[in-house]
Every structure is written in C-alpha cells, then in structure tokens.
Amino acid sequence: MVEFVCWALAVFGLANGISTSNFLTPSWCELKKSSNPILSKLGTMLLCPMCSGFWIGGFFHIFFYKATEHIFLDMCIGSAVSWLLYNMCFLCSKGKL
C-alpha cells in the first residue's frame, strides 16, 4: 500500500510539474498554437494534468513500478489521481476546501 501511495504521489507531482510549471507552460502554449495538428494536440495534452497523468502512469508502469498488472489500468489510475489531487490543491488555494 505504501508503494502505491508513493507511486500515486510521484505521478501527481510529475504531472502537476509538467502541466502547471511557470518554466514549461510557455513551451506547451507555443506547441498548442502550432499549425501542425499533431503538435497542437500534444501541447493541449501537456497542459492538462489529467492527460499528462495518464501518460505518466503508463511511463511509470513500464520503467519504474507496476501499481497493477495492466498498463491501461495504471494509466487510468494515474489520470484519476492527478485530476483528483490537482483539483483538491486548486480548491485549497481558493479557500473552498
């Protein structure tokens, strides 16, 4: 259980860092404005904590720790954890939680 919690927090931390950092966000916005539809979609996915959590969950499954036996389930759990924790942090910062 401790390994899963550490995995979930690592996925959230990386997804939150990628999607909301002041250092990387201008790069993702430039990708989003790209005329190339593939790069534009990639920029959109990197700005979304839920989307980046999905791919990071799969990346962690392949290279670090398997939270479950199925990669797609790890990807979905990574997405859900990233979305829930991101929204909790957002609501706490607004004083609504």
Side-chain angles (χ1 to χ4, degrees):
M1 185 67 177
V2 173
E3 290 95 2
F4 176 76
V5 171
C6 289
W7 178 87
L9 290 174
V11 169
F12 164 69
L14 190 56
N16 193 41
I18 287 173
S19 60
T20 62
S21 74
N22 289 333
F23 180 69
L24 295 173
T25 300
S27 303
W28 306 150
C29 289
E30 288 300 317
L31 276 177
K32 192 174 178 179
K33 294 178 196 172
S34 174
S35 60
N36 184 336
I38 293 172
L39 291 178
S40 177
K41 189 58 86 173
L42 179 65
T44 301
M45 288 191 307
L46 289 172
L47 281 170
C48 169
M50 193 166 141
C51 300
S52 56
F54 181 81
W55 296 110
I56 292 167
F59 178 80
F60 275 30
H61 177 90
I62 293 170
F63 294 108
F64 298 114
Y65 175 75
K66 293 173 175 42
T68 66
E69 293 298 317
H70 305 287
I71 188 169
F72 184 70
L73 188 56
D74 278 0
M75 293 169 92
C76 291
I77 292 170
S79 178
V81 165
S82 295
W83 181 75
L84 287 171
L85 291 177
Y86 176 80
N87 281 326
M88 286 175 61
C89 290
F90 180 76
L91 290 174
C92 283
S93 71
K94 299 293 182 189
K96 296 182 179 180
L97 188 65

